[in-house]
Amino acid sequence: MHNEASSHEIERRLTNLLPSEALEDHADSVGVIEREGKLQLPPLVWSFAFGFAAGESRTLAAFRRSYNSTADKSLSPGGFYQRLTPTLAEYLRDLVEYGFDEVAVPHTVSEEFDRFRDVMIADGTVLRLHELLSEEYKAPHEEQAGASLHLLHNVTDQTIERFSVTDEKTHDSTEFETGPWLEGRLAIFDLAYFKYRRFALIDENDGYFVSRLKKSANPVVTDELREWRGRAIPLEGKQIHDVVDDLQREYIDVEVEAEFKRGPYEGTRSLDTKRFRVVGVRNEDADDYHLYITNLSREEFQPADLATIYRCRWQVELLFRELKTQYELDEFNTTKEHIVEILLYAALLSLVVSRDLLGLVVEHADEGIVFPPERWAATFRSHAQLILRDLREYLAYSPQPLLQRLIEDAQKIHQQRPILQEQLATTIQPTIEA
């Protein structure tokens, strides 16, 4: 009995995340379900969630086969495609947003991050689209089309805090909003998000940040936070980039003052200044420094600690690589905007399900076992078809027999369009008879 109960743990986990009744109710409220009721929403959602991971290729035909192998009644190609609407895209987006809010993997980050409520990484990646979508998804080059997927990755919970989709020309930085939600959280940025005003707002909301220092940013040093013996070059009063090439010390640890413009108020933007900490960690191979700007105190975080913290950005790079390699979220050949959105949200839904099951795995595994993200992604993908089959049985769906589905999928669809063998036979037969 214990084995039978534990065998359904995965299915219970998934149906608790996305209950069938809730899927149907929300579909009804947004207008996805049509009156004849032939479409079954739970199988459709699960076919998208697992079809991206388990499908033999990322095609609409593969998703239809996944749906037909799960639902009680099969859909013809035309019947399936006509249900892929902008409303369905909005519905899937709602599910992704809900799913990311619900999913959390037990704490997996290093102990040095325990003092933060969460560790957050903001980043974006470009998705290449069909050139006929260049009006909807503008790219830097006129003959191209591209979308940008912007993610706020919660490293602590191994999930996505926020996401947005824009055209490629939209700058990553515009998709990051500061506010009270940052309290107690550490945000890690690359240079695309560099703004003194943003850093000031994070600090004023009792949040923390670490970012690379832009080469074009040259703040004035107001204080040295570490004393050096001997004939060390004094830095106070100098601009950091003016002297960094002359230094040989292992670390740089200084306070700087940066000038920036505040947000608009009554039509004007006032100038302001803020003091931050700049740290340099020497890169012996390149004979230069990696420079970081932060509001983390020297008492708690040494320069080497900041370099280690910044390396956490690799987590979001792995996440994008997972989406692009495991779920093939790299290029879209469709010319329809809403189909792009459906495929994109299907991939993110796969990520939601993957992370939820990772949470279950971590809960049941022995303490201390580590699950590298890429290895977990490959494991999830290789078992996705089995999980979908078990989920179908758990939900008591009874698809048509496999033989019947094979007949339906393999037969000629349009009677007026002769297949190649028929054309050859028609052409060759008179010659043979002659």
Side-chain angles (χ1 to χ4, degrees):
M1 187 70 178
H2 173 73
N3 290 337
E4 182 181 351
S6 61
S7 68
H8 292 305
E9 198 112 24
I10 291 175
E11 293 79 14
R12 279 197 295 269
R13 179 81 170 213
L14 294 175
T15 52
N16 284 337
L17 174 68
L18 297 173
S20 294
E21 185 176 354
L23 293 176
E24 292 167 346
D25 287 346
H26 187 58
D28 187 44
S29 68
V30 299
V32 173
I33 295 179
E34 70 284 77
R35 289 183 180 179
E36 71 264 21
K38 186 175 180 181
L39 179 69
Q40 293 177 298
L41 256 297
L44 184 68
V45 170
W46 293 120
S47 68
F48 278 121
F50 286 98
F52 238 109
E56 68 275 18
S57 62
R58 190 197 61 202
T59 64
L60 297 181
F63 283 115
R64 184 181 71 87
R65 285 191 287 271
S66 180
Y67 172 83
N68 286 346
S69 68
T70 307
D72 290 329
K73 295 181 180 179
S74 296
L75 289 176
S76 66
F80 183 76
Y81 301 149
Q82 74 179 18
R83 289 167 170 83
L84 305 182
T85 62
T87 304
L88 178 62
E90 295 173 9
Y91 172 75
L92 291 176
R93 181 188 174 91
D94 290 345
L95 296 187
V96 172
E97 288 183 338
Y98 168 79
F100 281 137
D101 284 342
E102 293 297 309
V103 170
V105 178
H107 196 297
T108 56
V109 297
S110 304
E111 291 182 0
E112 59 260 33
F113 297 114
D114 282 346
R115 65 148 298 174
F116 305 112
R117 184 154 62 100
D118 290 302
V119 179
M120 318 296 295
I121 304 174
D123 207 349
T125 191
V126 172
L127 310 172
R128 189 57 55 214
L129 305 180
H130 195 286
E131 61 184 14
L132 291 181
L133 287 170
S134 59
E135 285 299 314
E136 295 84 356
Y137 291 101
K138 298 182 185 300
H141 303 288
E142 289 186 5
E143 67 277 10
Q144 291 184 339
S148 287
L149 172 62
H150 310 272
L151 299 182
L152 183 61
H153 181 33
N154 187 324
V155 182
T156 306
D157 290 343
Q158 284 293 297
T159 188
I160 305 300
E161 193 82 9
R162 299 178 186 178
F163 71 95
S164 61
V165 181
T166 66
D167 63 20
E168 187 181 351
K169 293 185 74 172
T170 300
H171 200 278
D172 290 338
S173 182
T174 63
E175 297 302 298
F176 184 91
E177 297 181 1
T178 52
W181 69 271
L182 284 158
E183 182 180 354
R185 286 176 156 144
L186 170 66
I188 306 175
F189 301 109
D190 71 358
L191 294 177
Y193 296 83
F194 188 97
K195 279 187 179 180
Y196 288 139
R197 177 171 170 263
R198 171 173 290 119
F199 301 154
L201 290 172
I202 292 173
D203 186 69
E204 289 158 11
N205 279 285
D206 296 321
Y208 306 93
F209 70 91
V210 176
S211 169
R212 290 293 294 270
L213 181 69
K214 262 189 175 180
K215 288 187 177 180
S216 59
N218 204 10
V220 176
V221 177
T222 56
D223 190 17
E224 294 197 55
L225 303 178
R226 178 170 181 161
E227 294 184 2
W228 293 90
R229 297 178 181 177
R231 302 173 61 185
I233 298 175
L235 302 182
E236 190 172 339
K238 298 177 180 177
Q239 291 181 286
I240 188 70
H241 280 301
D242 293 349
V243 295
V244 68
D245 291 339
D246 299 324
L247 303 178
Q248 297 298 319
R249 60 190 69 173
E250 184 178 3
Y251 301 114
I252 301 169
D253 200 351
V254 297
E255 180 187 77
V256 301
E257 185 173 80
E259 186 178 75
F260 61 97
K261 288 184 178 180
R262 287 284 180 181
Y265 180 72
E266 294 184 350
T268 62
R269 300 184 66 185
S270 60
L271 283 175
D272 201 351
T273 60
K274 188 87 172 178
R275 293 193 175 188
F276 302 110
R277 180 185 176 200
V278 167
V279 164
V281 179
R282 191 160 188 80
N283 178 9
E284 297 294 346
D285 293 335
D287 193 29
D288 63 4
Y289 289 92
H290 288 157
L291 294 175
Y292 307 96
I293 186 168
T294 184
N295 64 341
L296 296 177
S297 69
R298 184 177 182 277
E299 289 73 27
E300 292 184 89
F301 297 92
Q302 295 298 307
D305 297 330
L306 294 181
T308 300
I309 287 172
Y310 192 79
R311 281 197 289 271
C312 276
R313 274 195 50 78
W314 181 240
Q315 292 289 325
V316 77
E317 299 297 336
L318 290 177
L319 184 63
F320 283 133
R321 192 157 77 182
E322 176 181 339
L323 285 168
K324 290 188 173 184
T325 58
Q326 299 295 334
Y327 308 133
E328 301 178 12
L329 191 66
D330 47 7
E331 293 188 5
F332 295 88
N333 293 321
T334 179
T335 60
K336 296 182 178 180
E337 182 180 0
H338 68 277
I339 298 296
V340 169
E341 294 174 354
I342 286 172
L343 293 174
L344 175 57
Y345 299 141
L348 292 176
L349 196 58
S350 295
L351 189 64
V352 168
V353 171
S354 171
R355 289 297 183 269
D356 195 43
L357 291 183
L358 176 58
L360 179 65
V361 167
V362 171
E363 289 172 10
H364 284 258
D366 293 338
E367 189 174 349
I369 293 180
V370 176
F371 299 95
E374 286 189 293
R375 187 173 180 86
W376 165 253
T379 302
F380 168 72
R381 190 169 189 266
S382 66
H383 290 79
Q385 196 69 54
L386 294 174
I387 299 171
L388 181 58
R389 184 197 65 190
D390 289 350
L391 186 61
R392 177 195 72 200
E393 294 175 356
Y394 182 77
L395 292 172
Y397 287 105
S398 301
Q400 287 184 314
L402 178 58
L403 179 59
Q404 182 61 35
R405 282 184 277 130
L406 290 173
I407 293 171
E408 291 181 356
D409 281 347
Q411 66 181 288
K412 184 174 64 176
I413 299 172
H414 301 289
Q415 293 298 327
Q416 71 277 19
R417 188 183 301 166
I419 59 177
L420 180 60
Q421 291 90 332
E422 293 175 350
Q423 290 175 321
L424 288 173
T426 304
T427 304
I428 294 171
Q429 190 67 27
T431 305
I432 294 175
E433 291 177 351

